[in-house]
Amino acid sequence: MLLLLRFSTGEGWMSVMYALLEKREDCCEDIWCCKRDASLDMCDSNPKYEEASPWCIGEDDYPNCIEVNGCSAGASVFVYFYSFTMIVSFVILNMLVAAVLQAFEASDEGELLDPADLEHFVSVWSEFDPEATWFINASDMQSFLSRLRPP
């Protein structure tokens, strides 16, 4: 579960994907073959878990464990990892947008710009830009700002 959480952040999922694509020398090619019996040199198609020799899950289990299959996962790895990344990214993006929208709705600031302040700004601007070019000189900026009311 922690590995999937790490993949959802976009960190390191491609290295695990390519590691699952590597073929091992001792893998059993038959997909139904899960446990090789060395004495009979044949595959057990119905493996059973035994307490005496558990399946190898982690590094601490070796050497008293039985490796399960061990072959590469094939093209299904690409399908799984790319679809997981796309779906999780989509969900996280939607959650982020929802959080922003919810915070925006919950804000109590109300109107940031009062209509009277906007009218005052337009009238002062029109004094510095009488031809409505939407530009004023940089040298006029200090006097323009000094004529505006404080926020």
Side-chain angles (χ1 to χ4, degrees), residues 3-60:
L3 194 60
L4 289 177
L5 180 64
R6 178 180 169 194
F7 294 160
S8 68
T9 65
E11 183 67 31
W13 63 272
M14 289 188 78
S15 60
V16 174
M17 179 181 69
Y18 285 118
L20 289 172
L21 285 172
E22 293 179 8
K23 279 203 170 210
R24 292 178 49 179
E25 294 175 15
D26 59 344
C27 82
C28 183
E29 291 295 331
D30 183 8
I31 195 166
W32 301 109
C33 176
C34 297
K35 184 171 72 171
R36 185 173 291 282
D37 188 347
S39 63
L40 300 174
D41 195 27
M42 60 182 274
C43 294
D44 183 5
S45 61
N46 192 14
K48 293 189 176 37
Y49 181 77
E50 300 169 9
E51 289 287 331
S53 57
W55 291 336
C56 300
I57 296 173
E59 301 252 342
D60 298 337

Side-chain angles (χ1 to χ4, degrees), residues 33-99:
C33 176
C34 297
K35 184 171 72 171
R36 185 173 291 282
D37 188 347
S39 63
L40 300 174
D41 195 27
M42 60 182 274
C43 294
D44 183 5
S45 61
N46 192 14
K48 293 189 176 37
Y49 181 77
E50 300 169 9
E51 289 287 331
S53 57
W55 291 336
C56 300
I57 296 173
E59 301 252 342
D60 298 337
D61 297 334
Y62 287 99
N64 301 323
C65 62
I66 298 172
E67 288 194 18
V68 179
N69 199 350
C71 294
S72 69
S76 63
V77 169
F78 289 112
V79 173
Y80 174 77
F81 277 97
Y82 281 106
S83 63
F84 177 82
T85 303
M86 286 177 50
I87 290 170
V88 167
S89 298
F90 180 72
V91 168
I92 289 176
L93 179 66
N94 280 338
M95 286 176 27
L96 178 69
V97 169

Side-chain angles (χ1 to χ4, degrees), residues 68-151:
V68 179
N69 199 350
C71 294
S72 69
S76 63
V77 169
F78 289 112
V79 173
Y80 174 77
F81 277 97
Y82 281 106
S83 63
F84 177 82
T85 303
M86 286 177 50
I87 290 170
V88 167
S89 298
F90 180 72
V91 168
I92 289 176
L93 179 66
N94 280 338
M95 286 176 27
L96 178 69
V97 169
V100 168
L101 289 176
Q102 188 176 24
F104 183 73
E105 287 177 1
S107 70
D108 58 350
E109 292 181 10
E111 290 287 324
L112 294 177
L113 185 60
D114 191 31
D117 292 334
L118 180 60
E119 186 64 36
H120 178 69
F121 177 85
V122 169
S123 67
V124 172
W125 184 275
S126 65
E127 294 173 14
F128 288 91
D129 185 19
E131 297 176 12
T133 61
W134 295 12
F135 295 101
I136 61 173
N137 292 329
S139 58
D140 294 336
M141 187 57 97
Q142 185 176 5
S143 59
F144 169 73
L145 292 175
S146 66
R147 296 180 96 198
L148 291 176
R149 289 184 225 146

